[in-house]
Amino acid sequence: MHKVSFIGGGNMAAAIVGGLIASGTEPADIEVVEINADAREKLATRFGVVTHTDLSQARLHALVVLAVKPQTLPEVAAALARRLSGQLVVSIAAGVRVADLARWLGGHARIVRAMPNTPALVQAGITGLFAPDAVSQESRSQAESVLRAVGGVVWVDDEPQLDAVTAVSGSGPAYVFYFIESLEAAAEAQGLAPGVARQLALQTFFGATKLALESGEEPALLRQRVTSKGGTTERGLAALDAAGVKQAVGQAVEAACRRGAELGDELGRLA
């Protein structure tokens, strides 16, 4: 199992810590540097991991996960650079590009960039990963196995594709929650009680996703099977098409992708 140092102990770091321990990593093999006392106490109490208040106290294991806010990463990386001795650095800081992080780390080359999403909090996430050519296959496998502790992983060949990953799976849970909200409100508008409306909306999304995952069939084919000619589903889908819902989803992803690229530019201009 892995020995991992986390720099930052927020919700996503805690999710990965929990996933690693559930996968068999010993708590003593995980250390977390976190300045917030409440967060440190929660991590130590819940998982039994080693916690530190400052980076200078850390042992720094062979794999280091950077889980701090992107805006604070230049300062954190500058302090970390003085301690690195060949470790693999995995960054889950949204929007921070490999070249900028390498620069802040004083030219450190063993970097993997990861974009997990919030369902990782219940070990049902999906993470996009990118590594430059200089990172070995062994290092890629190490990074992948850490992120697999909280769900699935996909690799992209070009770093700008992580902006698309962010737009689809990073922002995607919010789109799903938005649709659940809308379906719930529509159910209430048809006279269903709020509790019934929520249960129907949530279980429908869960069940449909589980069916799509476990059947391995194309979502379009599954949709067709539910859609009887002249039936209720056909009429409802026609209303969605008339409202341009599919186009709106595409526009949402495109807008989020553009914003991801803009954030990368903005963060790259930090000291």
Side-chain angles (χ1 to χ4, degrees):
M1 293 295 105
H2 296 285
K3 291 188 176 183
V4 186
S5 298
F6 287 82
I7 314 302
N11 288 336
M12 192 61 71
I16 300 172
V17 168
L20 287 171
I21 292 173
S23 299
T25 300
E26 293 293 332
D29 289 336
I30 298 174
E31 64 174 358
V32 183
V33 178
E34 170 55 52
I35 61 173
N36 183 278
D38 289 339
R40 277 199 316 276
E41 183 179 356
K42 287 178 182 178
L43 287 163
T45 302
R46 181 179 177 187
F47 301 117
V49 297
V50 179
T51 62
H52 307 294
T53 60
D54 188 81
L55 183 58
S56 63
Q57 301 168 337
R59 294 178 58 188
L60 287 190
H61 295 303
L63 196 153
V64 176
V65 177
L66 290 176
V68 299
K69 293 180 179 179
Q71 293 80 3
T72 67
L73 197 48
E75 180 181 354
V76 171
L80 180 61
R82 296 189 289 269
R83 300 282 315 280
L84 288 177
S85 57
Q87 285 90 344
L88 173 63
V89 175
V90 178
S91 171
I92 64 171
V96 176
R97 294 169 180 156
V98 169
D100 294 317
L101 179 55
R103 173 166 53 87
W104 299 334
L105 288 173
H108 188 78
R110 292 189 69 208
I111 297 173
V112 174
R113 185 177 161 195
M115 182 63 223
N117 65 356
T118 55
L121 298 174
V122 291
Q123 296 180 26
I126 182 74
T127 300
L129 293 166
F130 168 78
D133 293 340
V135 176
S136 70
Q137 184 56 54
E138 180 183 1
S139 295
R140 293 167 191 252
S141 296
Q142 290 172 343
E144 178 176 324
S145 63
V146 169
L147 274 304
R148 279 198 182 278
V150 289
V153 301
V154 296
W155 284 91
V156 297
D157 296 326
D158 300 306
E159 189 172 12
Q161 291 178 325
L162 277 185
D163 294 330
V165 170
T166 301
V168 174
S169 60
S171 300
Y175 310 152
V176 174
F177 299 145
Y178 183 91
F179 206 103
I180 290 173
E181 288 180 78
S182 301
L183 191 59
E184 184 180 339
E188 290 185 37
Q190 295 303 313
L192 293 172
V196 172
R198 174 161 297 181
Q199 186 176 357
L200 287 171
L202 288 172
Q203 190 63 34
T204 297
F205 263 80
F206 173 77
T209 301
K210 184 177 174 66
L211 177 60
L213 283 169
E214 295 187 3
S215 71
E217 294 181 313
E218 294 290 332
L221 178 59
L222 295 172
R223 170 179 54 78
Q224 291 166 10
R225 287 180 181 163
V226 183
T227 310
S228 302
K229 188 172 179 59
T232 59
T233 306
E234 183 182 64
R235 187 68 63 85
L237 287 171
L240 291 175
D241 285 340
V245 172
K246 184 176 290 187
Q247 290 82 358
V249 171
Q251 291 166 5
V253 171
E254 182 180 358
C257 188
R258 285 200 307 269
R259 182 55 181 152
E262 292 169 0
L263 287 171
D265 292 339
E266 293 170 10
L267 291 167
R269 289 194 288 270
L270 295 176

